[in-house]
């Protein structure tokens, strides 16, 4: 890298941020449920899946951000311009379903954390989570993108501390951690959990969102030095954000592997909290619950933000955020009111999200490979091949997830 380029990047740290907002989707309560289940049942076996999933997600997130910076359109808007109205409505319907499923998972996760920490009924906890996420969205609307990014990044730090705090008390055996980096499975259930981890990692709404986040933050730069600089900064932003998200996800699995494996503990978030409380003490258990709460609050607000962007891009309409928050909160409240197992709800929500992944990733790779649209910023042939490989592989793995869930 040339000295001038290094100097430009060193002086552009303040441009970082959009990727950290998108990264919240990669450490949401659905990830907690999948990683805790994997660690409690198989120990360190599936650690390699988390590493692979984050590398794949990083490529997809960068392509989304590049599309936004180069074309001046969010991914939903770019997709919508190439569709007839009936097709746009159909595409919006599936994307909206994904956004609602995402929101339900985030609210349920926040409700579980509030029950653990304060003994609140799940229904009340879900309502509190929804209201706090609305407050965060109000900050973004009234105080601007940068403050919202700083708050979400701060919550990401809280999540990281909450899930990694136990390592200061009990660390995993290095040899077993290294063995978890060797790709392998142990029966069909481990394949199901691997697919669940992938499904919980590459989130459709985060793919849609990142293209709009960079536009909200940087605008549509003219071709030239500033656009090239922003693309370099974006690559760094994605690498750093995904490194944090990957570390947090690995910490979730390792915490479960250390404290739940061979303990005969229920492989649920409540079970994880109880086991950590019994083995590591109340302080570490509370930090775990605080990390889960921060995950629910931050990811719920980011999910609602993505839903609004999807509607604006595909329907060319916007509704007040309060109305949208209420509409997307209703399904989560119904789930909590029925008494359905909350951890199971989180896992099933990942299955719903699986349906939406091909609709987000496949058009993204096609659009960023289109020279007429991207000009000199068209994907390198190697990037295009990697993008198609990732898109097809993720889609096939999520078909496996759906099939194993239905038949299991």
């Amino acid at each position: 890298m040339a000295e001038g380029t290094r100097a430009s990047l060193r002086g552009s740290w303040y441009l970082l941020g959009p990727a950290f907002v998108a990264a919240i989707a990669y450490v949401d309560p659905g990830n907690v449920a999948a990683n805790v289940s994997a660690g409690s049942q198989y120990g360190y076996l599936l650690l390699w899946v988390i590493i692979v999933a984050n590398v794949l997600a990083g490529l997809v997130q960068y392509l989304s951000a590049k599309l936004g910076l180069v074309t001046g359109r969010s991914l939903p808007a770019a997709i919508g311009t190439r569709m007839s109205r009936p097709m746009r409505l159909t595409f919006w319907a599936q994307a909206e379903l994904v956004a609602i499923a995402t929101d339900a998972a985030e609210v349920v996760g926040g409700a579980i954390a509030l029950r653990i920490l304060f003994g609140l009924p799940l229904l009340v906890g879900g309502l509190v989570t929804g209201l706090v996420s609305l407050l965060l969205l109000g900050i973004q609307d009234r105080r601007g993108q940068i403050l919202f990014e700083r708050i979400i990044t701060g919550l990401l730090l809280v999540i990281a501390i909450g899930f990694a705090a136990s390592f200061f008390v009990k660390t995993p055996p290095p040899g077993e951690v290294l063995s978890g980096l060797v790709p392998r499975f142990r029966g069909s259930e481990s394949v199901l959990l691997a697919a669940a981890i992938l499904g919980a990692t590459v989130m459709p709404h985060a793919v849609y969102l990142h293209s709009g986040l960079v536009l909200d933050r940087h605008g549509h730069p003219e071709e030239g030095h500033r656009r090239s600089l922003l693309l370099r900064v974006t690559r760094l932003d994605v690498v750093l954000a995904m490194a944090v998200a990957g570390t947090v996800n690995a910490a979730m699995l390792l915490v479960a592997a250390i404290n739940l494996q061979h303990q005969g503990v229920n492989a649920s978030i409540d079970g994880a909290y109880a086991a950590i409380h019994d083995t590591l003490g109340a302080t570490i258990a509370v930090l775990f619950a605080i990390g889960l709460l921060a995950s629910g609050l931050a990811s719920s607000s980011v999910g609602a933000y993505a839903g609004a962007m999807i509607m604006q891009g595909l329907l060319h309409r916007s509704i007040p955020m309060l109305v949208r928050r209420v509409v997307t909160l209703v399904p989560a409240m119904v789930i909590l009111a029925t008494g359905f197992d909350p951890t199971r709800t989180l896992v099933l929500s990942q299955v719903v999200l699986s349906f939406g992944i091909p609709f987000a990733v496949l058009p993204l790779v096609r659009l960023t490979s289109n020279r007429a649209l991207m000009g000199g910023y068209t994907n390198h042939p190697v990037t295009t091949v990697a993008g198609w490989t990732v898109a097809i592989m993720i889609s096939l793995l999520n078909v496996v997830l759906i099939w194993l869930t239905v038949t299991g």
Side-chain angles (χ1 to χ4, degrees):
M1 185 182 292
E3 183 61 34
T5 299
R6 287 197 294 267
S8 296
L9 289 176
R10 282 197 299 267
S12 303
W13 61 268
Y14 62 92
L15 297 173
L16 302 176
F20 285 84
V21 176
I24 285 293
Y26 297 96
V27 292
D28 75 346
N31 291 84
V32 180
N35 293 327
V36 165
S37 296
S40 61
Q41 295 181 49
Y42 293 99
Y44 309 93
L45 179 73
L46 299 178
L47 181 61
W48 67 273
V49 179
I50 291 176
I51 306 301
V52 171
N54 274 270
V55 172
L56 301 183
L59 173 61
V60 172
Q61 291 303 138
Y62 173 69
L63 292 181
S64 175
K66 183 173 77 167
L67 176 73
L69 288 173
V70 173
T71 67
R73 294 174 181 162
S74 68
L75 177 57
I79 292 173
T81 57
R82 286 161 170 74
M83 290 181 175
S84 63
R85 189 170 188 276
M87 284 293 294
R88 279 195 295 111
L89 290 174
T90 303
F91 196 95
W92 167 79
Q94 65 79 27
E96 192 67 31
L97 178 62
V98 165
I100 291 173
T102 300
D103 208 37
E106 328 302 25
V107 172
V108 169
I112 295 173
L114 288 169
R115 181 179 66 181
I116 291 172
L117 287 169
F118 305 110
L120 292 180
L122 287 174
L123 199 61
V124 176
L127 184 60
V128 171
T129 302
L131 291 175
V132 173
S133 67
L134 181 62
L135 176 63
L136 292 175
L137 290 168
I139 291 173
Q140 189 275 336
D141 184 54
R142 297 185 180 184
R143 300 293 300 275
Q145 180 77 8
I146 294 179
L147 180 59
F148 179 71
E149 287 177 4
R150 298 295 178 258
I151 293 173
I152 296 298
T153 302
L155 288 172
L156 180 60
L157 179 61
V158 172
I159 296 167
I161 293 172
F163 290 119
S166 65
F167 296 136
F168 292 100
V169 179
K170 189 175 182 180
T171 56
E176 294 194 41
V177 173
L178 290 175
S179 71
L181 300 178
V182 179
R184 64 196 192 283
F185 298 103
R186 191 185 302 153
S188 60
E189 180 67 17
S190 67
V191 177
L192 171 61
L193 285 172
I197 291 171
L198 280 168
T201 300
V202 183
M203 304 284 267
H205 76 287
V207 179
Y208 293 124
L209 178 65
H210 205 162
S211 56
L213 286 172
V214 293
L215 288 174
D216 288 347
R217 177 66 184 278
H218 303 307
H220 180 208
E222 294 289 336
E223 184 173 358
H225 173 73
R226 178 165 175 77
R227 180 184 292 180
S228 298
L229 173 63
L230 287 174
L231 287 171
R232 290 194 295 270
V233 170
T234 296
R235 282 195 291 270
L236 177 61
D237 198 23
V238 169
V239 169
L240 293 176
M242 296 312 300
V244 173
T247 301
V248 172
N249 278 308
M252 295 176 193
L253 184 145
L254 294 175
V255 167
I258 296 169
N259 299 289
L260 275 71
Q261 191 185 20
H262 308 310
Q263 300 298 318
V265 178
N266 179 27
S268 66
I269 293 174
D270 292 280
Y273 171 80
I276 293 171
H277 186 281
D278 292 340
T279 57
L280 301 179
T283 300
I284 300 300
V286 167
L287 288 173
F288 175 87
I290 290 173
L292 176 63
L293 178 60
S295 170
L297 296 176
S299 57
S300 182
S301 61
V302 170
Y305 189 162
M309 186 173 295
I310 290 168
M311 176 174 283
Q312 178 66 38
L314 290 169
L315 300 186
H316 310 300
R317 294 181 181 178
S318 59
I319 61 174
M321 194 58 71
L322 176 61
V323 175
R324 178 166 186 87
R325 174 75 279 179
V326 171
V327 170
T328 55
L329 189 60
V330 169
M333 301 303 288
V334 169
I335 291 171
L336 293 173
T338 57
F340 194 74
D341 178 58
T343 300
R344 183 63 176 166
T345 298
L346 293 177
V347 174
L348 290 177
S349 71
Q350 307 312 302
V351 178
V352 176
L353 296 181
S354 301
F355 285 102
I357 290 176
F359 293 97
V361 178
L362 292 172
L364 172 64
V365 176
R366 184 177 180 183
L367 288 168
T368 53
S369 304
N370 185 339
R371 184 163 295 277
L373 179 67
M374 302 293 292
Y377 300 95
T378 306
N379 292 341
H380 187 279
V382 174
T383 304
T384 298
V385 171
W388 281 117
T389 302
V390 169
I392 294 170
M393 184 175 67
I394 291 173
S395 300
L396 290 176
L397 282 172
N398 279 280
V399 170
V400 173
L401 170 62
I402 294 167
W403 182 78
L404 289 174
T405 302
V406 172
T407 61

